[in-house]
mmCIF file of all heavy atoms in Angstrom:
data_model
loop_
_atom_site.group_PDB
_atom_site.id
_atom_site.type_symbol
_atom_site.label_atom_id
_atom_site.label_comp_id
_atom_site.label_asym_id
_atom_site.label_seq_id
_atom_site.Cartn_x
_atom_site.Cartn_y
_atom_site.Cartn_z
ATOM 1 N N LYS A 269 -12.425 22.215 2.387
ATOM 2 C CA LYS A 269 -11.283 21.323 2.178
ATOM 3 C C LYS A 269 -9.970 22.078 2.339
ATOM 4 O O LYS A 269 -9.006 21.566 2.903
ATOM 5 C CB LYS A 269 -11.359 20.685 0.797
ATOM 6 C CG LYS A 269 -12.457 19.663 0.657
ATOM 7 C CD LYS A 269 -12.469 19.085 -0.748
ATOM 8 C CE LYS A 269 -13.604 18.095 -0.902
ATOM 9 N NZ LYS A 269 -13.658 17.539 -2.261
ATOM 10 N N ARG A 270 -9.924 23.306 1.804
ATOM 11 C CA ARG A 270 -8.708 24.117 1.931
ATOM 12 C C ARG A 270 -8.473 24.533 3.377
ATOM 13 O O ARG A 270 -7.345 24.513 3.857
ATOM 14 C CB ARG A 270 -8.798 25.351 1.029
ATOM 15 C CG ARG A 270 -8.329 25.076 -0.371
ATOM 16 C CD ARG A 270 -8.232 26.353 -1.178
ATOM 17 N NE ARG A 270 -9.250 26.239 -2.217
ATOM 18 C CZ ARG A 270 -10.205 27.101 -2.468
ATOM 19 N NH1 ARG A 270 -10.303 28.205 -1.782
ATOM 20 N NH2 ARG A 270 -11.077 26.886 -3.421
ATOM 21 N N GLU A 271 -9.538 24.897 4.068
ATOM 22 C CA GLU A 271 -9.402 25.372 5.440
ATOM 23 C C GLU A 271 -8.865 24.293 6.377
ATOM 24 O O GLU A 271 -8.110 24.583 7.302
ATOM 25 C CB GLU A 271 -10.749 25.882 5.953
ATOM 26 C CG GLU A 271 -11.164 27.196 5.345
ATOM 27 C CD GLU A 271 -12.544 27.641 5.795
ATOM 28 O OE1 GLU A 271 -13.158 26.976 6.651
ATOM 29 O OE2 GLU A 271 -13.022 28.672 5.263
ATOM 30 N N VAL A 272 -9.242 23.062 6.139
ATOM 31 C CA VAL A 272 -8.770 21.966 7.001
ATOM 32 C C VAL A 272 -7.573 21.233 6.405
ATOM 33 O O VAL A 272 -7.121 20.246 6.955
ATOM 34 C CB VAL A 272 -9.907 20.959 7.317
ATOM 35 C CG1 VAL A 272 -11.025 21.644 8.059
ATOM 36 C CG2 VAL A 272 -10.411 20.266 6.065
ATOM 37 N N ASN A 273 -7.099 21.738 5.262
ATOM 38 C CA ASN A 273 -5.939 21.137 4.581
ATOM 39 C C ASN A 273 -6.174 19.649 4.317
ATOM 40 O O ASN A 273 -5.320 18.798 4.609
ATOM 41 C CB ASN A 273 -4.662 21.359 5.400
ATOM 42 C CG ASN A 273 -3.421 20.931 4.645
ATOM 43 O OD1 ASN A 273 -3.405 20.886 3.418
ATOM 44 N ND2 ASN A 273 -2.377 20.601 5.365
ATOM 45 N N LEU A 274 -7.334 19.344 3.767
ATOM 46 C CA LEU A 274 -7.711 17.951 3.535
ATOM 47 C C LEU A 274 -6.672 17.198 2.713
ATOM 48 O O LEU A 274 -6.257 16.102 3.082
ATOM 49 C CB LEU A 274 -9.078 17.871 2.847
ATOM 50 C CG LEU A 274 -9.549 16.461 2.518
ATOM 51 C CD1 LEU A 274 -9.843 15.686 3.799
ATOM 52 C CD2 LEU A 274 -10.761 16.492 1.620
ATOM 53 N N VAL A 275 -6.231 17.790 1.622
ATOM 54 C CA VAL A 275 -5.283 17.092 0.748
ATOM 55 C C VAL A 275 -3.950 16.863 1.461
ATOM 56 O O VAL A 275 -3.364 15.780 1.374
ATOM 57 C CB VAL A 275 -5.092 17.865 -0.576
ATOM 58 C CG1 VAL A 275 -3.995 17.227 -1.425
ATOM 59 C CG2 VAL A 275 -6.399 17.918 -1.359
ATOM 60 N N GLY A 276 -3.477 17.845 2.197
ATOM 61 C CA GLY A 276 -2.218 17.694 2.929
ATOM 62 C C GLY A 276 -2.294 16.630 4.009
ATOM 63 O O GLY A 276 -1.387 15.807 4.148
ATOM 64 N N VAL A 277 -3.395 16.636 4.745
ATOM 65 C CA VAL A 277 -3.581 15.625 5.800
ATOM 66 C C VAL A 277 -3.718 14.249 5.179
ATOM 67 O O VAL A 277 -3.115 13.271 5.639
ATOM 68 C CB VAL A 277 -4.810 15.974 6.671
ATOM 69 C CG1 VAL A 277 -5.145 14.838 7.619
ATOM 70 C CG2 VAL A 277 -4.579 17.265 7.427
ATOM 71 N N TRP A 278 -4.504 14.171 4.124
ATOM 72 C CA TRP A 278 -4.716 12.902 3.431
ATOM 73 C C TRP A 278 -3.381 12.338 2.948
ATOM 74 O O TRP A 278 -3.078 11.161 3.146
ATOM 75 C CB TRP A 278 -5.654 13.127 2.270
ATOM 76 C CG TRP A 278 -6.144 11.910 1.542
ATOM 77 C CD1 TRP A 278 -5.643 10.642 1.593
ATOM 78 C CD2 TRP A 278 -7.242 11.857 0.646
ATOM 79 N NE1 TRP A 278 -6.362 9.810 0.775
ATOM 80 C CE2 TRP A 278 -7.353 10.536 0.185
ATOM 81 C CE3 TRP A 278 -8.139 12.807 0.190
ATOM 82 C CZ2 TRP A 278 -8.320 10.141 -0.729
ATOM 83 C CZ3 TRP A 278 -9.104 12.405 -0.721
ATOM 84 C CH2 TRP A 278 -9.201 11.082 -1.163
ATOM 85 N N ALA A 279 -2.569 13.178 2.329
ATOM 86 C CA ALA A 279 -1.274 12.730 1.811
ATOM 87 C C ALA A 279 -0.357 12.266 2.940
ATOM 88 O O ALA A 279 0.340 11.251 2.807
ATOM 89 C CB ALA A 279 -0.615 13.850 1.016
ATOM 90 N N ALA A 280 -0.358 12.984 4.051
ATOM 91 C CA ALA A 280 0.502 12.610 5.179
ATOM 92 C C ALA A 280 0.084 11.269 5.775
ATOM 93 O O ALA A 280 0.935 10.425 6.099
ATOM 94 C CB ALA A 280 0.452 13.699 6.251
ATOM 95 N N VAL A 281 -1.215 11.059 5.913
ATOM 96 C CA VAL A 281 -1.709 9.791 6.464
ATOM 97 C C VAL A 281 -1.409 8.651 5.506
ATOM 98 O O VAL A 281 -0.947 7.575 5.922
ATOM 99 C CB VAL A 281 -3.223 9.884 6.776
ATOM 100 C CG1 VAL A 281 -3.796 8.529 7.127
ATOM 101 C CG2 VAL A 281 -3.473 10.881 7.892
ATOM 102 N N GLU A 282 -1.640 8.871 4.222
ATOM 103 C CA GLU A 282 -1.357 7.837 3.220
ATOM 104 C C GLU A 282 0.125 7.469 3.238
ATOM 105 O O GLU A 282 0.495 6.294 3.182
ATOM 106 C CB GLU A 282 -1.756 8.341 1.832
ATOM 107 C CG GLU A 282 -1.597 7.338 0.728
ATOM 108 C CD GLU A 282 -2.629 6.229 0.775
ATOM 109 O OE1 GLU A 282 -3.708 6.430 1.369
ATOM 110 O OE2 GLU A 282 -2.362 5.159 0.205
ATOM 111 N N LYS A 283 0.989 8.467 3.324
ATOM 112 C CA LYS A 283 2.432 8.228 3.376
ATOM 113 C C LYS A 283 2.793 7.397 4.605
ATOM 114 O O LYS A 283 3.596 6.461 4.522
ATOM 115 C CB LYS A 283 3.181 9.551 3.402
ATOM 116 C CG LYS A 283 4.675 9.394 3.460
ATOM 117 C CD LYS A 283 5.365 10.738 3.538
ATOM 118 C CE LYS A 283 6.861 10.518 3.642
ATOM 119 N NZ LYS A 283 7.553 11.543 4.351
ATOM 120 N N ALA A 284 2.206 7.733 5.751
ATOM 121 C CA ALA A 284 2.491 6.993 6.983
ATOM 122 C C ALA A 284 2.072 5.538 6.856
ATOM 123 O O ALA A 284 2.803 4.632 7.270
ATOM 124 C CB ALA A 284 1.786 7.651 8.170
ATOM 125 N N TYR A 285 0.891 5.294 6.274
ATOM 126 C CA TYR A 285 0.442 3.915 6.067
ATOM 127 C C TYR A 285 1.407 3.154 5.155
ATOM 128 O O TYR A 285 1.768 2.010 5.411
ATOM 129 C CB TYR A 285 -0.955 3.877 5.444
ATOM 130 C CG TYR A 285 -2.085 4.076 6.411
ATOM 131 C CD1 TYR A 285 -3.110 4.970 6.122
ATOM 132 C CD2 TYR A 285 -2.158 3.368 7.610
ATOM 133 C CE1 TYR A 285 -4.167 5.159 7.001
ATOM 134 C CE2 TYR A 285 -3.209 3.551 8.495
ATOM 135 C CZ TYR A 285 -4.209 4.444 8.180
ATOM 136 O OH TYR A 285 -5.244 4.626 9.053
ATOM 137 N N GLN A 286 1.827 3.798 4.070
ATOM 138 C CA GLN A 286 2.732 3.140 3.135
ATOM 139 C C GLN A 286 4.085 2.841 3.776
ATOM 140 O O GLN A 286 4.650 1.757 3.571
ATOM 141 C CB GLN A 286 2.907 4.003 1.883
ATOM 142 C CG GLN A 286 1.659 4.056 1.031
ATOM 143 C CD GLN A 286 1.809 4.980 -0.154
ATOM 144 O OE1 GLN A 286 2.876 5.553 -0.400
ATOM 145 N NE2 GLN A 286 0.731 5.134 -0.902
ATOM 146 N N GLU A 287 4.596 3.785 4.547
ATOM 147 C CA GLU A 287 5.883 3.553 5.214
ATOM 148 C C GLU A 287 5.781 2.404 6.205
ATOM 149 O O GLU A 287 6.705 1.594 6.312
ATOM 150 C CB GLU A 287 6.350 4.833 5.916
ATOM 151 C CG GLU A 287 6.812 5.900 4.948
ATOM 152 C CD GLU A 287 7.131 7.218 5.614
ATOM 153 O OE1 GLU A 287 6.734 7.422 6.782
ATOM 154 O OE2 GLU A 287 7.778 8.056 4.953
ATOM 155 N N ARG A 288 4.664 2.320 6.912
ATOM 156 C CA ARG A 288 4.483 1.218 7.864
ATOM 157 C C ARG A 288 4.419 -0.118 7.137
ATOM 158 O O ARG A 288 5.020 -1.109 7.570
ATOM 159 C CB ARG A 288 3.220 1.425 8.692
ATOM 160 C CG ARG A 288 3.113 0.404 9.814
ATOM 161 C CD ARG A 288 1.962 0.672 10.713
ATOM 162 N NE ARG A 288 0.747 0.219 10.037
ATOM 163 C CZ ARG A 288 -0.491 0.483 10.450
ATOM 164 N NH1 ARG A 288 -0.683 1.223 11.505
ATOM 165 N NH2 ARG A 288 -1.519 0.025 9.800
ATOM 166 N N LEU A 289 3.727 -0.155 6.004
ATOM 167 C CA LEU A 289 3.648 -1.397 5.238
ATOM 168 C C LEU A 289 5.020 -1.814 4.708
ATOM 169 O O LEU A 289 5.358 -3.001 4.714
ATOM 170 C CB LEU A 289 2.656 -1.245 4.084
ATOM 171 C CG LEU A 289 1.193 -1.262 4.475
ATOM 172 C CD1 LEU A 289 0.318 -0.852 3.292
ATOM 173 C CD2 LEU A 289 0.788 -2.632 4.988
ATOM 174 N N VAL A 290 5.807 -0.855 4.259
ATOM 175 C CA VAL A 290 7.154 -1.160 3.772
ATOM 176 C C VAL A 290 7.994 -1.742 4.908
ATOM 177 O O VAL A 290 8.708 -2.729 4.723
ATOM 178 C CB VAL A 290 7.816 0.096 3.166
ATOM 179 C CG1 VAL A 290 9.301 -0.130 2.936
ATOM 180 C CG2 VAL A 290 7.130 0.480 1.862
ATOM 181 N N GLU A 291 7.897 -1.145 6.092
ATOM 182 C CA GLU A 291 8.649 -1.664 7.244
ATOM 183 C C GLU A 291 8.195 -3.073 7.617
ATOM 184 O O GLU A 291 9.020 -3.946 7.884
ATOM 185 C CB GLU A 291 8.470 -0.741 8.446
ATOM 186 C CG GLU A 291 9.200 0.559 8.332
ATOM 187 C CD GLU A 291 8.942 1.477 9.520
ATOM 188 O OE1 GLU A 291 8.488 0.978 10.573
ATOM 189 O OE2 GLU A 291 9.196 2.684 9.387
ATOM 190 N N GLU A 292 6.884 -3.298 7.622
ATOM 191 C CA GLU A 292 6.353 -4.606 8.003
ATOM 192 C C GLU A 292 6.734 -5.697 7.010
ATOM 193 O O GLU A 292 6.846 -6.861 7.382
ATOM 194 C CB GLU A 292 4.829 -4.545 8.130
ATOM 195 C CG GLU A 292 4.351 -3.764 9.325
ATOM 196 C CD GLU A 292 2.836 -3.610 9.367
ATOM 197 O OE1 GLU A 292 2.140 -4.151 8.475
ATOM 198 O OE2 GLU A 292 2.346 -2.943 10.287
ATOM 199 N N HIS A 293 6.932 -5.316 5.757
ATOM 200 C CA HIS A 293 7.217 -6.302 4.718
ATOM 201 C C HIS A 293 8.618 -6.129 4.136
ATOM 202 O O HIS A 293 8.878 -6.520 2.993
ATOM 203 C CB HIS A 293 6.160 -6.200 3.614
ATOM 204 C CG HIS A 293 4.776 -6.463 4.110
ATOM 205 N ND1 HIS A 293 4.307 -7.736 4.330
ATOM 206 C CD2 HIS A 293 3.779 -5.626 4.461
ATOM 207 C CE1 HIS A 293 3.067 -7.666 4.785
ATOM 208 N NE2 HIS A 293 2.719 -6.394 4.878
ATOM 209 N N ALA A 294 9.525 -5.593 4.927
ATOM 210 C CA ALA A 294 10.874 -5.295 4.453
ATOM 211 C C ALA A 294 11.588 -6.548 3.949
ATOM 212 O O ALA A 294 12.239 -6.513 2.902
ATOM 213 C CB ALA A 294 11.682 -4.621 5.549
ATOM 214 N N LEU A 295 11.472 -7.649 4.658
ATOM 215 C CA LEU A 295 12.153 -8.876 4.244
ATOM 216 C C LEU A 295 11.614 -9.375 2.905
ATOM 217 O O LEU A 295 12.389 -9.705 1.996
ATOM 218 C CB LEU A 295 12.001 -9.963 5.307
ATOM 219 C CG LEU A 295 12.651 -11.300 4.978
ATOM 220 C CD1 LEU A 295 14.153 -11.133 4.750
ATOM 221 C CD2 LEU A 295 12.391 -12.299 6.084
ATOM 222 N N THR A 296 10.313 -9.416 2.775
ATOM 223 C CA THR A 296 9.702 -9.865 1.520
ATOM 224 C C THR A 296 10.121 -8.961 0.365
ATOM 225 O O THR A 296 10.449 -9.444 -0.728
ATOM 226 C CB THR A 296 8.169 -9.876 1.647
ATOM 227 O OG1 THR A 296 7.801 -10.755 2.705
ATOM 228 C CG2 THR A 296 7.501 -10.323 0.368
ATOM 229 N N LEU A 297 10.111 -7.657 0.592
ATOM 230 C CA LEU A 297 10.508 -6.718 -0.456
ATOM 231 C C LEU A 297 11.978 -6.882 -0.831
ATOM 232 O O LEU A 297 12.337 -6.807 -2.009
ATOM 233 C CB LEU A 297 10.218 -5.282 -0.010
ATOM 234 C CG LEU A 297 8.741 -4.925 0.107
ATOM 235 C CD1 LEU A 297 8.576 -3.584 0.814
ATOM 236 C CD2 LEU A 297 8.064 -4.917 -1.239
ATOM 237 N N ALA A 298 12.830 -7.131 0.148
ATOM 238 C CA ALA A 298 14.258 -7.332 -0.134
ATOM 239 C C ALA A 298 14.470 -8.596 -0.950
ATOM 240 O O ALA A 298 15.267 -8.607 -1.902
ATOM 241 C CB ALA A 298 15.046 -7.390 1.168
ATOM 242 N N LEU A 299 13.765 -9.668 -0.602
ATOM 243 C CA LEU A 299 13.882 -10.916 -1.370
ATOM 244 C C LEU A 299 13.385 -10.734 -2.793
ATOM 245 O O LEU A 299 13.999 -11.220 -3.746
ATOM 246 C CB LEU A 299 13.102 -12.034 -0.672
ATOM 247 C CG LEU A 299 13.668 -12.501 0.658
ATOM 248 C CD1 LEU A 299 12.697 -13.469 1.339
ATOM 249 C CD2 LEU A 299 15.024 -13.145 0.465
ATOM 250 N N TYR A 300 12.296 -10.018 -2.937
ATOM 251 C CA TYR A 300 11.770 -9.738 -4.276
ATOM 252 C C TYR A 300 12.804 -8.971 -5.094
ATOM 253 O O TYR A 300 13.064 -9.302 -6.251
ATOM 254 C CB TYR A 300 10.467 -8.935 -4.196
ATOM 255 C CG TYR A 300 10.089 -8.330 -5.525
ATOM 256 C CD1 TYR A 300 9.504 -9.118 -6.507
ATOM 257 C CD2 TYR A 300 10.356 -6.998 -5.808
ATOM 258 C CE1 TYR A 300 9.182 -8.579 -7.743
ATOM 259 C CE2 TYR A 300 10.042 -6.450 -7.030
ATOM 260 C CZ TYR A 300 9.457 -7.240 -8.002
ATOM 261 O OH TYR A 300 9.155 -6.702 -9.227
ATOM 262 N N ARG A 301 13.408 -7.946 -4.474
ATOM 263 C CA ARG A 301 14.391 -7.125 -5.178
ATOM 264 C C ARG A 301 15.571 -7.979 -5.629
ATOM 265 O O ARG A 301 16.049 -7.851 -6.755
ATOM 266 C CB ARG A 301 14.850 -5.985 -4.267
ATOM 267 C CG ARG A 301 15.741 -4.986 -4.943
ATOM 268 C CD ARG A 301 16.110 -3.832 -4.012
ATOM 269 N NE ARG A 301 14.920 -3.100 -3.603
ATOM 270 C CZ ARG A 301 14.502 -2.992 -2.330
ATOM 271 N NH1 ARG A 301 15.181 -3.536 -1.345
ATOM 272 N NH2 ARG A 301 13.414 -2.307 -2.039
ATOM 273 N N GLU A 302 16.042 -8.871 -4.758
ATOM 274 C CA GLU A 302 17.169 -9.744 -5.111
ATOM 275 C C GLU A 302 16.805 -10.647 -6.291
ATOM 276 O O GLU A 302 17.594 -10.811 -7.227
ATOM 277 C CB GLU A 302 17.567 -10.597 -3.923
ATOM 278 C CG GLU A 302 18.274 -9.855 -2.819
ATOM 279 C CD GLU A 302 18.595 -10.749 -1.626
ATOM 280 O OE1 GLU A 302 18.622 -11.989 -1.789
ATOM 281 O OE2 GLU A 302 18.809 -10.205 -0.531
ATOM 282 N N GLN A 303 15.625 -11.252 -6.244
ATOM 283 C CA GLN A 303 15.194 -12.133 -7.325
ATOM 284 C C GLN A 303 15.023 -11.370 -8.633
ATOM 285 O O GLN A 303 15.413 -11.838 -9.698
ATOM 286 C CB GLN A 303 13.896 -12.839 -6.948
ATOM 287 C CG GLN A 303 14.062 -13.841 -5.838
ATOM 288 C CD GLN A 303 12.744 -14.445 -5.395
ATOM 289 O OE1 GLN A 303 11.690 -14.100 -5.903
ATOM 290 N NE2 GLN A 303 12.811 -15.351 -4.441
ATOM 291 N N ARG A 304 14.443 -10.177 -8.537
ATOM 292 C CA ARG A 304 14.252 -9.354 -9.735
ATOM 293 C C ARG A 304 15.591 -8.991 -10.361
ATOM 294 O O ARG A 304 15.782 -9.124 -11.574
ATOM 295 C CB ARG A 304 13.483 -8.086 -9.372
ATOM 296 C CG ARG A 304 13.190 -7.190 -10.576
ATOM 297 C CD ARG A 304 12.910 -5.769 -10.165
ATOM 298 N NE ARG A 304 14.086 -5.225 -9.517
ATOM 299 C CZ ARG A 304 14.077 -4.179 -8.720
ATOM 300 N NH1 ARG A 304 12.951 -3.576 -8.430
ATOM 301 N NH2 ARG A 304 15.187 -3.721 -8.186
ATOM 302 N N ASP A 305 16.537 -8.564 -9.534
ATOM 303 C CA ASP A 305 17.856 -8.196 -10.045
ATOM 304 C C ASP A 305 18.556 -9.387 -10.687
ATOM 305 O O ASP A 305 19.190 -9.254 -11.743
ATOM 306 C CB ASP A 305 18.714 -7.603 -8.932
ATOM 307 C CG ASP A 305 18.212 -6.244 -8.455
ATOM 308 O OD1 ASP A 305 17.352 -5.645 -9.140
ATOM 309 O OD2 ASP A 305 18.686 -5.790 -7.394
ATOM 310 N N ALA A 306 18.432 -10.560 -10.074
ATOM 311 C CA ALA A 306 19.046 -11.759 -10.639
ATOM 312 C C ALA A 306 18.424 -12.089 -11.996
ATOM 313 O O ALA A 306 19.137 -12.468 -12.933
ATOM 314 C CB ALA A 306 18.881 -12.935 -9.680
ATOM 315 N N ARG A 307 17.122 -11.938 -12.106
ATOM 316 C CA ARG A 307 16.454 -12.210 -13.387
ATOM 317 C C ARG A 307 16.875 -11.204 -14.451
ATOM 318 O O ARG A 307 17.051 -11.566 -15.622
ATOM 319 C CB ARG A 307 14.944 -12.206 -13.207
ATOM 320 C CG ARG A 307 14.474 -13.412 -12.442
ATOM 321 C CD ARG A 307 12.983 -13.433 -12.267
ATOM 322 N NE ARG A 307 12.609 -14.638 -11.538
ATOM 323 C CZ ARG A 307 11.625 -14.695 -10.683
ATOM 324 N NH1 ARG A 307 10.889 -13.640 -10.447
ATOM 325 N NH2 ARG A 307 11.356 -15.824 -10.060
ATOM 326 N N PHE A 308 17.046 -9.944 -14.070
ATOM 327 C CA PHE A 308 17.513 -8.937 -15.023
ATOM 328 C C PHE A 308 18.908 -9.280 -15.513
ATOM 329 O O PHE A 308 19.226 -9.125 -16.702
ATOM 330 C CB PHE A 308 17.503 -7.538 -14.409
ATOM 331 C CG PHE A 308 16.130 -6.917 -14.301
ATOM 332 C CD1 PHE A 308 15.912 -5.893 -13.392
ATOM 333 C CD2 PHE A 308 15.070 -7.327 -15.092
ATOM 334 C CE1 PHE A 308 14.667 -5.291 -13.291
ATOM 335 C CE2 PHE A 308 13.826 -6.740 -14.992
ATOM 336 C CZ PHE A 308 13.608 -5.713 -14.093
ATOM 337 N N GLU A 309 19.762 -9.749 -14.600
ATOM 338 C CA GLU A 309 21.120 -10.132 -15.003
ATOM 339 C C GLU A 309 21.085 -11.314 -15.981
ATOM 340 O O GLU A 309 21.800 -11.319 -16.977
ATOM 341 C CB GLU A 309 21.950 -10.494 -13.777
ATOM 342 C CG GLU A 309 22.365 -9.316 -12.943
ATOM 343 C CD GLU A 309 23.193 -9.704 -11.751
ATOM 344 O OE1 GLU A 309 23.913 -10.720 -11.815
ATOM 345 O OE2 GLU A 309 23.122 -8.981 -10.726
ATOM 346 N N LEU A 310 20.240 -12.309 -15.684
ATOM 347 C CA LEU A 310 20.120 -13.456 -16.592
ATOM 348 C C LEU A 310 19.603 -13.010 -17.955
ATOM 349 O O LEU A 310 20.090 -13.466 -18.995
ATOM 350 C CB LEU A 310 19.184 -14.502 -15.996
ATOM 351 C CG LEU A 310 19.720 -15.294 -14.818
ATOM 352 C CD1 LEU A 310 18.597 -16.159 -14.216
ATOM 353 C CD2 LEU A 310 20.892 -16.159 -15.246
ATOM 354 N N ALA A 311 18.613 -12.145 -17.954
ATOM 355 C CA ALA A 311 18.059 -11.652 -19.228
ATOM 356 C C ALA A 311 19.111 -10.879 -20.016
ATOM 357 O O ALA A 311 19.191 -11.025 -21.239
ATOM 358 C CB ALA A 311 16.839 -10.789 -18.953
ATOM 359 N N ALA A 312 19.937 -10.102 -19.340
ATOM 360 C CA ALA A 312 20.984 -9.332 -20.017
ATOM 361 C C ALA A 312 22.002 -10.275 -20.631
ATOM 362 O O ALA A 312 22.533 -10.015 -21.723
ATOM 363 C CB ALA A 312 21.652 -8.375 -19.045
ATOM 364 N N ASP A 313 22.279 -11.389 -19.961
ATOM 365 C CA ASP A 313 23.236 -12.364 -20.489
ATOM 366 C C ASP A 313 22.714 -13.052 -21.734
ATOM 367 O O ASP A 313 23.492 -13.519 -22.569
ATOM 368 C CB ASP A 313 23.578 -13.413 -19.429
ATOM 369 C CG ASP A 313 24.410 -12.845 -18.289
ATOM 370 O OD1 ASP A 313 25.003 -11.754 -18.459
ATOM 371 O OD2 ASP A 313 24.460 -13.489 -17.233
#
């Protein structure tokens, strides 16, 4: 595992998959963030 850098390769591939998913769902994530922030503001009020 050390010789082939399994953990490093695994982490790099996992990161790439996650970044691609974030890009593919950017609009949905932005809408979620807006709604969440609005709810936090209402709760603070």
